[in-house]
Amino acid sequence: MLFQKLDFINEVLESPKRKVLPIMTSPGMELLGVPPRSVFQDGELQFKCIQALAAEAPVDAQVTFMDLSVEAEAFGAPIAFSDYENPTVTEPIAGTEEAVRNLKMPAVGDKRTGEVLRCAKLCAERLERPTFGGLIGPYSLAGRLAGMTEMMILTAAEPETAHALLRKATDFLKCYIQAFKAAGVAGVVIAEPAAGLLSPDMCQEFAADYLKEVVASVKSDSFMVILHNCGNTEKQIPALLSTGADALHIGNAADILAVLPQMPENVLLMGNLDPVNVFKTMTEEQVYATTMELLERTAAFRNYVLSSGCDLPPAVPMKNILAFLKALQNYNQKTGV
């Protein structure tokens, strides 16, 4: 059945039952006993990890691997792979005006973008619940291409060069996101964590305005766009909402009760349990209590969806994920659903 965005949103808004949409894929690697080095280069293996995790920890929607090096690699950035953590960009390639001018936009499918899309297509075809593809946002991609410190300098001292780089990043991402839509997924989660480093005005100019283009290029009744920013976002909410995203996903750096009152009633907010200090390091009893506390604190807001604050890291115990889901189940039973 074709995913209908408004049905998903209205189900959240009209029911006291909370939905859950954590960003988690690494636990799937551990279920299968496969290292990141292999998984991040093989779209079918990524799917198998997500499939295994979906069977162990059922949630309302899955998210594909949030590998924020893929798009930079497609542009030509060198990547380091590891047996223990996500791939990383090892060297910037577009930190000067000349380098930006000479930077060539890749084709969708170049390098590992083809494997990511392969995973997305398999998820759309074979999983019983909706899947959201994961990709990076323009400003965070530009930061990986130029180097994050250099990109911050460019935005302040050489804005024309920053905008030129952002234009290339945005044009590629508009094509890439269309490929996710063609793969059949229900939508995407656009990760724009670097925008959390900007002032509200700079966030608007150098991140939100470009995100608005990306969102507008793909939004439809059957395709949902979730915007993730794991920075201190309380003062950036107007800029993030201006992108037209259907939902915002925030990290644990933000106070969720400072953000929820700023949200329009028909725009969803997702977040924001700490992936490390809650999911990875707490006992299962503590995870349960912390999750229940968050659900109770946000009870007045119908547009809230329970989630992690960001992608769960490797070595999160499965018992903690199950405790998180058990708290949700018991909370929903208490509401009479």
Side-chain angles (χ1 to χ4, degrees):
M1 181 183 297
L2 185 66
F3 175 80
Q4 292 297 320
K5 176 178 68 180
L6 290 180
D7 290 346
F8 183 90
I9 294 172
N10 287 337
E11 191 174 345
V12 173
L13 299 179
E14 294 172 3
S15 172
K17 179 181 178 181
R18 293 298 193 196
K19 284 189 177 292
V20 59
L21 203 168
I23 300 178
M24 61 175 187
T25 48
S26 289
M29 291 190 283
E30 292 167 22
L31 286 172
L32 296 186
V34 289
R37 182 186 301 276
S38 300
V39 172
F40 285 105
Q41 300 183 74
D42 186 329
E44 184 171 1
L45 191 51
Q46 291 172 30
F47 163 71
K48 289 179 179 178
C49 291
I50 294 168
Q51 185 182 45
L53 183 58
E56 291 290 326
V59 293
D60 289 301
Q62 305 293 147
V63 181
T64 63
F65 278 81
M66 197 62 73
D67 175 3
L68 303 187
S69 71
V70 166
E71 299 87 349
E73 182 189 36
F75 273 92
I79 305 296
F81 293 93
S82 166
D83 286 332
Y84 307 103
E85 58 188 11
N86 288 10
T88 56
V89 176
T90 59
E91 186 179 348
I93 60 171
T96 66
E97 180 183 358
E98 180 181 6
V100 171
R101 187 170 60 249
N102 293 332
L103 190 67
K104 297 190 184 309
M105 192 174 86
V108 171
D110 283 356
K111 303 288 186 172
R112 289 179 297 127
T113 61
E115 294 302 316
V116 172
L117 294 170
R118 182 184 180 195
C119 173
K121 189 171 189 296
L122 288 169
C123 288
E125 292 173 348
R126 300 185 189 180
L127 295 183
E128 295 181 354
R129 58 186 68 100
T131 298
F132 291 87
L135 73 158
I136 201 169
Y139 189 78
S140 298
L141 173 53
R144 279 159 175 76
L145 293 171
M148 202 61 247
T149 300
E150 187 60 33
M151 188 60 192
M152 294 293 291
I153 293 171
L154 290 176
T155 57
E158 299 181 46
E160 290 183 0
T161 301
H163 281 299
L165 180 54
L166 285 163
R167 170 48 48 207
K168 292 189 176 185
T170 301
D171 288 347
F172 171 72
L173 292 174
K174 286 163 69 174
C175 297
Y176 191 35
I177 201 171
Q178 288 288 352
F180 273 103
K181 188 175 185 180
V185 292
V188 289
V189 178
I190 303 177
E192 189 66 297
L197 302 171
L198 299 170
S199 69
D201 287 344
M202 292 183 79
C203 179
Q204 184 71 56
E205 179 181 355
F206 291 98
D209 287 348
Y210 289 99
L211 282 163
K212 186 175 182 179
E213 281 189 48
V214 177
V215 173
S217 73
V218 77
K219 268 183 70 173
S220 71
D221 290 343
S222 59
F223 197 82
M224 184 172 174
V225 180
I226 302 167
L227 175 58
H228 167 72
N229 185 323
C230 54
N232 193 347
T233 54
E234 287 101 326
K235 295 181 179 179
Q236 295 183 338
I237 297 305
L240 301 180
L241 290 171
S242 76
T243 65
D246 299 298
L248 300 185
H249 188 287
I250 63 170
N252 50 279
D255 178 357
I256 202 161
L257 290 184
V259 174
L260 275 165
Q262 300 183 57
M263 299 292 296
E265 292 181 356
N266 63 337
V267 179
L268 306 184
L269 183 72
M270 305 177 180
N272 69 336
L273 286 173
D274 191 321
V276 175
N277 293 325
V278 174
F279 280 97
K280 187 171 181 176
T281 62
M282 283 186 175
T283 66
E284 56 188 304
E285 293 80 12
Q286 290 171 323
V287 171
Y288 180 95
T290 303
T291 304
M292 187 64 76
E293 180 187 13
L294 177 59
L295 287 165
E296 291 170 347
R297 289 173 66 222
T298 55
F301 298 91
R302 285 290 181 89
N303 58 341
Y304 171 67
V305 176
L306 179 65
S307 187
S308 55
C310 198
D311 194 9
L312 298 193
V316 169
M318 181 57 66
K319 63 183 181 181
N320 283 1
I321 295 171
L322 296 179
F324 163 75
L325 295 176
K326 183 65 174 178
L328 174 68
Q329 180 184 9
N330 289 348
Y331 175 86
N332 283 338
Q333 288 174 347
K334 283 200 308 181
T335 65
V337 177

